[in-house]
Amino acid sequence: GQARAARVLDGALDQLASPLPRWFARARGVYLSGGVGTGKSMLMDVLHAEAGAAGVASRRLHWHEWIHGVHRRLHELRTASAASTDEKLRVLALEETADVLCLDEMAVHDVADALLLREIFSTMLNNGVVVVATSNRPPEELYAQGLNRHLFLPFVRLLARRVDHVRLEAVDRRRTGARDAELFVPTGGDAAPALAALGVSGGFAPETVAIAYGREMTLDADAATRRCARASFDQLCGDALGAADYHALCDAYDCFFLERVPVLPLARHDLVRRFVTFVDVIYDRGKALVLEADAPVDELLDAGDEADFFTGPLGLTVADEGGASGRNASVQSDGAEWSATGIKGASLGARSGRQDTKFAWARTTSRLVEMTTGRAYRDAWRRRVV
């Protein structure tokens, strides 16, 4: 559990303090997995702080932020060089100057991400970078049932050889301790007391703010401090926004008032995934949230008939329409479309994506419970901004 994880992290820190060059010392990485609220991020943050105190260069990022940076840098390298992708990935990995790279909430959902990781991690580890990662999934379950997963397995084997895996089993700490429902508002309810609890009073006025890739969006900011943003669910999760956009919003605001969050059908996993990403980013950035929603946090996801989608047998059937066997393309034969899932309109990519989304939702509800009802989270936020 947490005690073993602490010992493993202490051992990694001792190796990092060695006077030998980092490429020679070759300290092992650490991978912490476990259910939501088991203290993975807290333990990683302790290591990050202790490394800094010991004079060890440490960099800590959320997985969304890191993988976005990888794709951005890879695009720059592709524009500037005709070298192979593997050569560019090695250059990218060698640019990591930190001795310790801490990556929180590692998750692999996309085949494009899956194919990059082995070369990057292999190069970083060979260069002496100690990778410390947290995830809800153990390494062998990363990218589970993803398309072309066999191409991802060398990365899983690399982790098994070079990284110590510690599984944490505990109750969800975010659901324990003193709490109230001060920052949760039923749709149509009075949000003024919740906002006042965060020191936000008065009205809101439209404001245009910069987001990723040179774009802008308009939302409302509180007129007094301009530090609290008010936006509807449709604004933040209905449009094509991603982690980079949410980070840009966190650069501009300290708290968010998210209005009119509906009960989300799992079949709309695009909306669910954006909401999950939004919560991940603002939680990781230590932002406050007032949530106005149609249902309590634990009732916001409606699996509906998706149970059959997850548990039903796979088969190969002919569909009259829909039923793509790949992520974006279907397989045509003699004018018929073949469905590898046996479900009309349901691709293997969508099936895998929905499974991952449902898995991530448990983390989201845990975080929302802490953010909207946990006094410790609210009080810690107040100490940071006052």
Side-chain angles (χ1 to χ4, degrees):
Q2 289 188 354
R4 178 170 176 256
R7 289 194 297 271
V8 172
L9 291 169
D10 281 342
L13 190 58
D14 289 342
Q15 293 180 68
L16 286 164
S18 167
L20 295 172
R22 74 179 192 181
W23 57 266
F24 185 83
R26 293 281 290 274
R28 291 178 62 81
V30 182
Y31 186 105
L32 304 177
S33 72
V36 298
T38 53
K40 303 181 296 297
S41 299
M42 177 192 68
L43 288 166
M44 185 184 71
D45 288 343
V46 169
L47 173 77
H48 174 60
E50 291 294 325
V56 176
S58 179
R59 200 160 71 103
R60 195 262 195 212
L61 303 111
H62 192 276
W63 180 259
H64 292 311
E65 186 178 3
W66 181 78
I67 199 69
H68 171 72
V70 165
H71 284 291
R72 184 180 62 246
R73 181 60 179 140
L74 185 58
H75 174 73
E76 294 171 353
L77 292 172
R78 283 171 172 160
T79 302
S81 170
S84 69
T85 296
D86 281 352
E87 289 172 327
K88 293 184 179 72
L89 292 174
R90 285 190 286 273
V91 169
L92 186 155
L94 289 170
E95 291 175 345
E96 180 55 64
T97 58
D99 296 312
V100 183
L101 178 61
C102 298
L103 299 173
D104 195 27
E105 298 296 352
M106 183 176 183
V108 184
H109 306 297
D110 187 89
V111 66
D113 296 343
L115 297 180
L116 302 176
L117 297 180
R118 183 181 65 85
E119 193 66 48
I120 295 174
F121 271 67
S122 177
T123 301
M124 287 195 303
L125 292 169
N126 287 338
N127 196 42
V129 176
V130 174
V131 177
V132 179
T134 72
S135 179
N136 291 134
R137 292 182 181 269
E140 63 274 13
E141 292 182 12
L142 287 171
Y143 197 49
Q145 299 189 26
L147 293 175
N148 298 312
R149 188 173 188 267
H150 65 284
L151 299 175
F152 179 73
L153 294 180
F155 174 68
V156 176
R157 291 191 287 269
L158 173 70
L159 290 180
R161 293 194 308 271
R162 304 291 300 277
V163 173
D164 291 324
H165 173 214
V166 181
R167 177 79 179 176
L168 299 179
E169 299 288 352
V171 297
D172 185 351
R173 62 177 177 81
R174 299 190 187 108
R175 294 180 181 269
T176 62
R179 58 187 60 257
D180 50 48
E182 194 170 74
L183 304 184
F184 175 85
V185 182
T187 297
D190 182 10
L195 292 167
L198 298 176
V200 178
S201 59
F204 287 79
E207 180 172 273
T208 299
V209 61
I211 53 176
Y213 307 112
R215 296 172 298 146
E216 295 180 333
M217 71 177 298
T218 300
L219 37 68
D220 295 335
D222 72 295
T225 68
R226 319 301 296 175
R227 68 176 185 165
C228 183
R230 181 179 68 184
S232 69
F233 176 86
D234 287 342
Q235 281 179 286
L236 292 187
C237 302
D239 290 332
L241 300 181
D245 301 302
Y246 300 139
H247 276 289
L249 292 176
C250 286
D251 290 339
Y253 302 106
D254 292 321
C255 67
F256 295 88
F257 175 23
L258 186 60
E259 297 179 304
R260 302 189 296 279
V261 178
V263 173
L264 299 169
L266 188 56
R268 288 300 310 275
H269 66 285
D270 54 336
L271 298 180
V272 179
R273 174 58 62 184
R274 288 190 200 111
F275 185 57
V276 165
T277 301
F278 171 71
V279 173
D280 277 348
V281 169
I282 66 171
Y283 183 89
D284 189 64
R285 294 287 298 269
K287 305 301 181 178
L289 175 69
V290 173
L291 185 71
E292 181 194 66
D294 289 349
V297 166
D298 286 320
E299 299 173 17
L300 277 177
L301 185 68
D302 178 14
D305 294 332
E306 292 293 310
D308 294 335
F309 193 94
F310 290 106
T311 61
L314 293 180
L316 188 64
T317 63
V318 179
D320 295 329
E321 58 183 354
S325 57
R327 174 169 293 184
N328 297 314
S330 43
V331 177
Q332 300 287 338
S333 177
D334 296 328
E337 184 175 29
W338 291 77
S339 168
T341 63
I343 304 170
K344 185 183 297 187
S347 70
L348 284 175
R351 185 180 195 271
S352 175
R354 291 176 186 181
Q355 286 178 309
D356 282 337
T357 298
K358 192 174 184 182
F359 193 90
W361 184 258
R363 178 180 72 247
T364 299
T365 55
S366 173
R367 289 180 164 182
L368 286 174
V369 165
E370 181 181 11
M371 295 173 78
T372 61
T373 69
R375 294 179 190 172
Y377 185 94
R378 185 189 64 232
D379 292 344
W381 181 85
R382 282 171 173 162
R383 287 193 294 273
R384 283 194 298 270
V385 299
V386 172

